[in-house]
Amino acid sequence: MREGKTILEMKKITKSFPGVRALKEVDLALRAGEVHCLVGENGAGKSTLIKIMTGAHTMTSGEMLVNGTPQVLTSPLDGRELGIRAIYQELDLLPTLSVAENIFMEDVPKTKLGLVDWPKMNRKAAELLQMFHVEISPYSLIRDLTVAEQQIVAIVKALSQDSKVLIMDEPSAVLTGSELERLFGIIAELKKQGVAIVYITHRLIEVFEIGDIVTVLRDGENIVTKDIEDVTMEKMIQWMVGREIDEQFYKEKVAIGDVVLEAKNLSVEGMVKEASFELREGEILGLAGLVGAGRTELLKSIFGEYRLNSGTLTIFGEECRFNSPRDAIAKGLGFVPEDRKTEGAVLCRSIEENISLGVLAKKEFKFLVHFPTIFKKAVELANYVKIRCHSLRQEVVTLSGGNQQKTVLAKWLASESQILLLDEPTRGIDVGSKLEFYKFMAELVRNGKSIILVSSELPELMALSDRILVMSNSRIRKEFRAGEATQEQILEHAIPQELREAASS
Ligand SMILES: Nc1ncnc2c1ncn2[C@@H]1O[C@H](COP(=O)(O)OP(=O)(O)OP(=O)(O)O)[C@@H](O)[C@H]1O
Ligand SMILES: [Mg+2]
């Protein structure tokens, strides 16, 4: 069946970091025109493996062959020279440079005189961005873009040069609906051109949508490599976690109490328009919408990151005007941001210290802090969300992507906030840990806390929420009760009016 020529071959790859063996004698072969999916739990070794392919990490032992020739890569430059390119999980864009500058950073278009050809660079960037039909200006600074837009820029950057092997580490984590479809369209196109593609994802359904072959890593070992036709979802999950998982979601019936938060006509210039809703004790309120619908912005305006232009916010019966997140935290609010890298964790500090920051956040008298108690709490929470590490003293930067996300979660859970605003909390988290997290959410609301949940995974949102608000174009368009709406109905309200009109005319 498989005809593509083997482009890249990894043989018995082992990689050790201080205190941990991330990969153990892993074999992997990539063929031209094939999408090779790589799945496994958080910390299984996926990112480490692909970083060895690109030259970003050096292997401890093993061999890598490119077109049959053994190659020793000592830096990403070597990988690039061989046509191996990657879109990493932690995007490697420079926040203070423009979109176009980032895309062409490694291959700047020059004029005949050898100067940077700015018009050409911006024009080419705009052309490339067109593939996604998104309104991202080549002149915008990266730091002004949303996470999803940054992801698109990173993809476009990788596509701006020809590659023989293209590696994508969870590109779909932040994309939804139409952008994801376009990404899949682009992947199909690259396949036709004979590019070998590695695709890492925790949205396992995607493996069946675009994969030709799948490799499951567990504890740094290749458990199985199989053609997609010979794999089922149940089997794949079992290979990943090493046991059977029978339920996907978890939700308890909890008594819903009084209103704890009431928003009336909240507006923030250009971001949120007249949002009105209530949140009750013990309730999980879901926020549905497409990328850019204004869900994150709504959370941030409640959390005091944006100043309200108008409207009122009443929390526990008291009208609040927050000047900063600090005020919101003091009032019992907690926020798990979607961008864990820049907003969530202090990467250069230990897991223990990061989680403890959450405990500290709610302390009014900092000098009364009892550190042993705080660290004990940190250990409990780290175990709870199953952060996979060899020590809690480990720096967060050395954790796998999913485990960094879990650290941010634990930090906010430690703060014992009464009202939690969760922005895509399960992004990048593996199936087994997701289930643990759902159980933890159930425990929180059982204890009288309230949650506003933003999630682009509609099945997740529908299974966990008591009510769902659907947003588009910065406005709340519709409210559904639990079990009342189908995925199609939610999407219908999530797609902006203009687009629907355009589609029907
Ligand atoms: N720079 C580093 N220093 C020390 N340990 C590291 C470093 N990078 C990764 N590790 C460890 O190697 C192991 C594998 O991590 P890796 O990032 O490859 O996991 P992953 O499969 O990509 O997980 P995720 O799904 O969470 O992204 C983990 O135990 C991680 O803590
Ligand atoms: Mg990873």
Side-chain angles (χ1 to χ4, degrees):
M1 235 325 248
R2 304 268 163 233
E3 299 152 7
K5 172 172 166 275
T6 301
I7 295 189
L8 189 149
E9 211 174 341
M10 309 201 74
K11 289 186 171 166
K12 289 194 180 309
I13 303 290
T14 294
K15 172 72 184 177
S16 301
F17 291 110
V20 59
R21 189 138 66 118
L23 295 172
K24 290 165 210 153
E25 307 203 336
V26 172
D27 289 332
L28 195 83
L30 305 179
R31 279 185 291 249
E34 205 170 71
V35 177
H36 197 132
C37 293
L38 200 53
V39 299
E41 293 190 296
N42 299 130
K46 305 177 295 295
S47 298
T48 306
L49 183 62
I50 60 130
K51 282 179 183 163
I52 290 174
M53 282 183 201
T54 60
H57 278 332
T58 50
M59 58 183 103
T60 308
S61 64
E63 193 182 21
M64 182 165 129
L65 304 162
V66 181
N67 290 323
T69 314
Q71 297 283 355
V72 179
L73 309 189
T74 52
S75 84
L77 280 175
D78 294 344
R80 212 176 294 146
E81 210 126 278
L82 291 164
I84 305 168
R85 299 185 69 86
I87 302 155
Y88 295 112
Q89 198 171 10
E90 59 288 341
L91 302 176
D92 50 355
L93 302 174
L94 297 176
T96 53
L97 294 186
S98 77
V99 169
E101 285 167 321
N102 267 279
I103 293 177
F104 293 105
M105 203 182 318
E106 285 135 17
D107 184 26
V108 181
K110 299 257 172 70
T111 61
K112 282 193 193 109
L113 297 173
L115 302 172
V116 176
D117 190 344
W118 292 100
K120 185 172 174 195
M121 182 157 111
N122 287 315
R123 198 176 57 243
K124 279 178 80 178
E127 277 168 22
L128 284 162
L129 288 162
Q130 259 301 309
M131 286 190 295
F132 275 92
H133 302 262
V134 284
E135 302 238 329
I136 302 174
S137 156
Y139 305 97
S140 299
L141 297 185
I142 293 295
R143 65 162 185 233
D144 296 332
L145 302 183
T146 65
V147 194
E149 289 168 340
Q150 292 180 11
Q151 178 72 65
I152 291 173
V153 174
I155 295 171
V156 165
K157 178 181 168 193
L159 295 173
S160 70
Q161 286 170 44
D162 288 339
S163 47
K164 299 197 169 56
V165 176
L166 184 66
I167 302 162
M168 307 189 188
D169 197 348
E170 286 188 60
S172 61
V174 295
L175 302 181
T176 54
S178 54
E179 285 132 359
L180 202 55
E181 274 166 33
R182 283 186 200 115
L183 176 64
F184 286 179
I186 291 168
I187 290 176
E189 193 51 45
L190 291 168
K191 264 176 74 163
K192 275 192 220 145
Q193 295 168 15
V195 178
I197 294 158
V198 179
Y199 191 90
I200 299 179
T201 184
H202 284 293
R203 286 188 182 169
L204 300 177
I205 190 84
E206 294 176 346
V207 171
F208 298 93
E209 288 171 12
I210 59 157
D212 296 302
I213 193 164
V214 62
T215 288
V216 180
L217 290 185
R218 186 170 80 224
D219 290 334
E221 289 181 77
N222 181 340
I223 298 296
V224 70
T225 296
K226 267 194 186 302
D227 285 353
I228 297 297
E229 296 90 74
D230 305 328
V231 176
T232 62
M233 180 68 96
E234 290 71 32
K235 268 274 159 231
M236 193 163 69
I237 293 177
Q238 207 177 326
W239 286 322
M240 282 174 65
V241 298
R243 63 192 152 87
E244 274 185 59
I245 287 196
D246 43 9
E247 47 185 357
Q248 244 198 310
F249 299 109
Y250 182 85
K251 168 91 180 157
E252 286 177 19
K253 194 129 192 65
V254 170
I256 306 282
D258 295 334
V259 173
V260 292
L261 182 151
E262 188 185 9
K264 262 197 197 150
N265 295 321
L266 293 191
S267 292
V268 175
E269 180 85 53
M271 298 204 228
V272 180
K273 292 183 189 137
E274 296 169 343
S276 297
F277 65 91
E278 288 177 348
L279 173 71
R280 292 176 173 270
E281 184 184 315
E283 192 177 36
I284 299 180
L285 178 64
L287 278 188
L290 304 178
V291 169
R295 297 166 303 166
T296 297
E297 289 73 13
L298 179 56
L299 291 189
K300 287 188 172 176
S301 52
I302 296 171
F303 195 58
E305 278 201 23
Y306 300 138
R307 283 288 189 90
L308 300 179
N309 293 111
S310 60
T312 54
L313 186 64
T314 311
I315 294 176
F316 300 116
E318 200 182 305
E319 198 180 314
C320 299
R321 282 236 150 238
F322 298 146
N323 290 318
S324 73
R326 183 185 286 264
D327 298 346
I329 293 167
K331 197 73 194 142
L333 260 58
F335 177 44
V336 176
E338 75 178 322
D339 184 357
R340 58 185 171 241
K341 192 180 170 195
T342 56
E343 301 178 68
V346 189
L347 294 178
C348 61
R349 303 311 285 261
S350 71
I351 304 169
E352 193 171 60
E353 287 168 303
N354 267 280
I355 300 178
S356 301
L357 281 176
V359 187
L360 285 171
K362 66 159 188 176
K363 294 272 176 226
E364 285 167 32
F365 303 104
K366 296 256 168 10
F367 49 89
L368 288 182
V369 166
H370 185 239
F371 279 98
T373 321
I374 287 181
F375 281 156
K376 187 162 158 274
K377 175 107 199 172
V379 174
E380 272 171 28
L381 282 158
N383 284 333
Y384 207 110
V385 293
K386 295 207 163 52
I387 297 177
R388 190 196 170 109
C389 55
H390 56 85
S391 152
L392 287 179
R393 302 260 155 84
Q394 199 175 332
E395 284 174 18
V396 172
V397 71
T398 67
L399 291 176
S400 78
N403 284 304
Q404 291 183 6
Q405 174 76 343
K406 290 182 203 168
T407 306
V408 179
L409 265 178
K411 171 181 146 188
W412 281 106
L413 301 174
S415 73
E416 292 182 0
S417 318
Q418 279 301 310
I419 299 174
L420 278 165
L421 314 176
L422 308 179
D423 199 355
E424 308 276 7
T426 60
R427 167 184 301 159
I429 290 185
D430 65 54
V431 264
S433 311
K434 269 187 195 163
L435 190 62
E436 295 301 321
F437 178 65
Y438 299 147
K439 290 186 176 160
F440 191 65
M441 280 177 73
E443 186 181 315
L444 291 172
V445 289
R446 200 189 320 128
N447 292 330
K449 305 199 171 189
S450 311
I451 294 173
I452 303 183
L453 172 69
V454 168
S455 169
S456 294
E457 300 285 315
L458 272 184
E460 173 181 276
L461 200 72
M462 291 163 71
L464 301 180
S465 308
D466 298 295
R467 276 184 301 136
I468 293 177
L469 304 177
V470 189
M471 291 188 74
S472 77
N473 269 353
S474 314
R475 276 180 199 278
I476 297 175
R477 304 283 173 178
K478 180 77 185 168
E479 177 181 330
F480 290 109
R481 310 214 133 267
E484 202 182 62
T486 61
Q487 209 156 316
E488 289 71 34
Q489 283 170 316
I490 294 178
L491 278 175
E492 194 178 310
H493 293 276
I495 297 168
Q497 188 73 33
E498 308 86 79
L499 282 185
R500 262 183 288 155
E501 277 164 10
S504 62
S505 65

